[in-house]
Amino acid sequence: MNYHHCRFTNATVEGRHNRIKAYQRRHYFTRNRTCYRAGILVECNRRYFNELKNSITSF
């Protein structure tokens, strides 16, 4: 009902949650906590990093 009123969904949150779960399955035995957290941040913001890389190389 809320979707029809506000047109907001939680699809982006669910998508990031699925990416984090997939990353956890791939890197289950990562012992370095900082590398683990950095990997999750990169995995969840991959589109942002690709856009940043493309904007830097377009000069």
Side-chain angles (χ1 to χ4, degrees), residues 12-27:
T12 56
V13 174
E14 290 294 327
R16 287 188 183 199
H17 185 251
N18 286 333
R19 285 185 180 191
I20 290 172
K21 286 174 68 173
Y23 186 82
Q24 286 176 342
R25 285 192 296 271
R26 285 193 313 265
H27 300 282

Side-chain angles (χ1 to χ4, degrees), residues 13-50:
V13 174
E14 290 294 327
R16 287 188 183 199
H17 185 251
N18 286 333
R19 285 185 180 191
I20 290 172
K21 286 174 68 173
Y23 186 82
Q24 286 176 342
R25 285 192 296 271
R26 285 193 313 265
H27 300 282
Y28 185 71
F29 290 108
T30 304
R31 295 181 185 212
N32 191 347
R33 187 90 170 144
T34 56
C35 289
Y36 182 72
R37 290 181 70 197
I40 288 176
L41 287 174
V42 168
E43 184 73 26
C44 288
N45 297 311
R46 187 175 304 268
R47 189 180 75 177
Y48 170 74
F49 288 130
N50 286 337

